[in-house]
Amino acid sequence: MTVQPIGAALDLLADRDPDRPAVHDVAGGTTLSRREVAERSAAVAAAWSDDVAREDLVGLALGNTADLVVGCAAAWRLGATPLPLPPEHDAVLDVAAPALVVGTLPHPTSGRVPDREPASSWKATTSGGSTGAPKVVVSTGPATVDPDADVAPYLPREQVQLVSGPLHHSAPFTYALRGLMTGHTLVLLDRFEPGAVLDAVPRFGVTWALLVPTMLHRLARHPDVGSADLSSLRHLVHLGAPCPPEVKRWWLDRIGPERVVEVYASSESAGITMIRGDEWLAAPGSVGRPVGGSSFRIVGRDGGELPAGEVGEVVMTRTGGPRYRYVGASARRLPGWDGWDALGDLGWLDPEGRLYLVDRADDVIRVDGHDVYPARVEAALERHPAVRSAAVFELHGGVHALLDLDADADPDEVVAAADLPVRAVPAGVEVVDGPLRDDAGKVRRSALRAARLTGGGGSGRRDG
């Protein structure tokens, strides 16, 4: 098969197997076949055709629903680019100014206009990072696909894919919708919840799932995980943040290292690394080697390239140049590294070219002349079985920790059990009620810090 417009690819898949489920909307209690997705998206495109021009952005405030999938397909048919919107999206609209914003999908029973020439961009998403104002990242990959080709070595065709991350974030959107174009059946959860995941895997025969470390951590703690039937899972992919080694090893033992793949990438897809679980066992902590035409280097504070083993800022590039453009922002470049992206991550390379991540550059805490990396402190705290999640940041010149704990857990015991270096021991600790990471696995350290500086805070505080 050859590359073709996405709408045509969806029609082709529907012709081949019209009654095969394309989308299970679990919360909505609906299932759409391939034929229904093709027909509904064509009818919606006809209803929108007077309001949407080629190369327009179409904002979709539809959550993790079958309607979002249909809306994306309708936008592609019109030569437009879908922009999935977060629940709070006013600031995004100010930046992106889409031609159409949809909160409820029209449901015409029939109608069709000819599909237009595909857009020069197949997706636009808001950045899933933790850095300030909204940033809209528009892919420069056209709205075309080869439905008979693997999109990536870790995204094989014809899978049953579990989607539990928010589709307004880049990674869940990318893998779900690229999967749809290459024959996947999507199992959509309205949000991540461990019990719902453990129920959905055997119920729908899930074969492929994308999770983030905080999801893996919460699943491993669930009382039913030991008896859950996960035998259908052939591929478990995780990304989004460094995965604590104890959590990673638990999953390698639970479903087999050959089934677990870790990916490091950004919303911009400026560079990608990959590592299988069996490879990770030989290089614990690594996020793998570059794939997909990517190259990585480590840069010191003076702008020079650092040798293997030294920590510095990670820069990356891909064959063919940037695969994105920003709306309302500019790419960050380091002096002397034109054509390379600097996304604010710190890390190091080993002599074999494997990348190891350390933390976000902006989040490093300086204590007595030494660097303290919050991600490492969080991972040490989260090893305690009573810790559901942790967040660490600088406050008043010291290390400050927030802990989401099981009932009656002792925060002092948790900190002591972490066995941290003296300079990394939190000077202040708060017990909070609720997750500290969002459904995409991100912890907003700057926002948490700002809330404390302006008088906000958690409950059950123990300040040192």
Side-chain angles (χ1 to χ4, degrees):
M1 185 56 61
T2 58
V3 172
Q4 55 192 289
I6 295 172
L10 296 178
D11 289 340
L12 175 66
L13 292 171
D15 289 342
R16 288 176 178 173
D17 196 349
D19 296 324
R20 179 168 177 170
V23 184
H24 296 292
D25 183 335
V26 177
T30 61
T31 295
L32 297 182
S33 68
R34 288 180 174 179
R35 174 171 49 200
E36 288 171 321
V37 168
E39 291 178 349
R40 289 192 187 189
S41 62
V44 171
W48 287 349
S49 60
D50 290 340
D51 300 314
V52 177
R54 185 171 176 272
E55 302 291 6
D56 278 348
L57 290 178
V58 176
L60 302 171
L62 297 169
N64 280 27
T65 64
D67 278 358
L68 177 72
V69 174
V70 172
C72 287
W76 290 320
R77 291 186 186 281
L78 293 172
T81 301
L83 169 64
L85 294 170
E88 301 296 329
H89 53 254
D90 287 349
V92 177
L93 298 183
D94 290 342
V95 170
L100 179 68
V101 178
V102 178
T104 303
L105 199 67
H107 286 279
T109 56
S110 62
R112 180 150 196 159
V113 295
D115 286 2
R116 297 173 184 162
E117 183 180 350
S120 59
S121 171
W122 79 274
K123 68 165 184 174
T125 56
T126 54
S127 174
S130 55
T131 55
K135 180 172 59 179
V136 177
V137 183
V138 181
S139 169
T140 55
T144 58
V145 68
D146 181 348
D148 291 326
D150 290 350
V151 174
Y154 44 85
L155 187 64
R157 297 173 54 253
E158 302 285 343
Q159 303 292 306
V160 179
Q161 181 183 160
L162 178 70
V163 182
S164 59
L167 283 171
H168 60 269
H169 278 289
S170 178
F173 182 88
T174 298
Y175 296 124
L177 277 299
R178 281 300 194 193
L180 179 80
M181 302 170 200
T182 55
H184 286 212
T185 296
L186 305 182
V187 179
L188 303 182
L189 301 182
D190 59 342
R191 63 169 298 160
F192 173 81
E193 196 283 316
V197 171
L198 297 178
D199 175 73
V201 171
R203 177 183 171 190
F204 296 101
V206 170
T207 63
W208 195 97
L210 174 72
L211 299 171
V212 297
T214 187
M215 296 176 179
L216 297 176
H217 180 67
R218 291 178 62 191
L219 281 166
R221 290 167 47 91
H222 195 276
D224 296 334
V225 72
S227 59
D229 180 5
L230 303 179
S231 59
S232 65
L233 263 181
R234 297 200 295 269
H235 306 275
L236 174 60
V237 177
H238 70 91
L239 47 62
C243 187
E246 295 80 6
V247 174
K248 177 108 170 188
R249 291 182 188 279
W250 191 95
W251 281 99
L252 298 182
D253 291 341
R254 181 66 172 82
I255 66 173
E258 70 284 354
R259 297 185 179 189
V260 179
V261 173
E262 182 169 3
V263 174
Y264 168 64
S266 65
S267 301
E268 294 84 352
S269 296
I272 302 175
T273 68
M274 182 188 78
I275 189 167
R276 295 192 316 268
D278 54 335
E279 297 170 323
W280 185 90
L281 288 171
S286 174
V287 295
R289 294 183 176 92
V291 296
S294 304
S295 297
F296 286 77
R297 300 288 186 271
I298 305 300
V299 178
R301 292 174 179 171
D302 62 356
E305 183 177 352
L306 296 178
E310 292 196 23
V311 174
E313 186 159 6
V314 180
V315 297
M316 62 198 79
T317 191
R318 294 184 73 178
T319 302
R323 301 190 182 189
Y324 67 92
R325 61 181 174 84
Y326 287 136
V327 175
S330 299
R332 179 169 174 257
R333 309 289 186 190
L334 293 183
W337 289 88
D338 292 341
W340 293 73
D341 286 88
L343 303 177
D345 288 329
L346 297 177
W348 54 281
L349 295 168
D350 70 13
E352 287 72 42
R354 289 181 291 246
L355 177 65
Y356 295 73
L357 297 178
V358 175
D359 216 320
R360 296 284 302 173
D362 291 342
D363 292 337
V364 175
I365 304 169
R366 194 75 173 166
V367 178
D368 296 332
H370 297 277
D371 289 338
V372 174
Y373 300 113
R376 292 180 175 175
V377 180
E378 290 162 356
L381 294 169
E382 289 176 351
R383 284 199 298 264
H384 195 286
V387 179
R388 292 188 289 263
S389 59
V392 171
F393 48 89
E394 183 276 331
L395 189 66
H396 305 310
V399 178
H400 195 79
L402 308 186
L403 300 175
D404 176 23
L405 299 177
D406 290 343
D408 302 323
D410 182 350
D412 292 318
E413 178 186 320
V414 168
V415 173
D419 194 24
L420 295 162
V422 172
R423 60 178 173 271
V425 173
V429 176
E430 292 178 43
V431 177
V432 300
D433 183 16
L436 290 163
R437 296 178 184 270
D438 64 21
D439 286 344
K442 303 294 184 181
V443 58
R444 314 295 190 191
R445 296 183 185 124
S446 59
L448 293 171
R449 179 178 183 272
R452 272 81 199 153
L453 290 173
T454 57
S459 62
R461 180 180 301 184
R462 191 277 285 170
D463 289 321

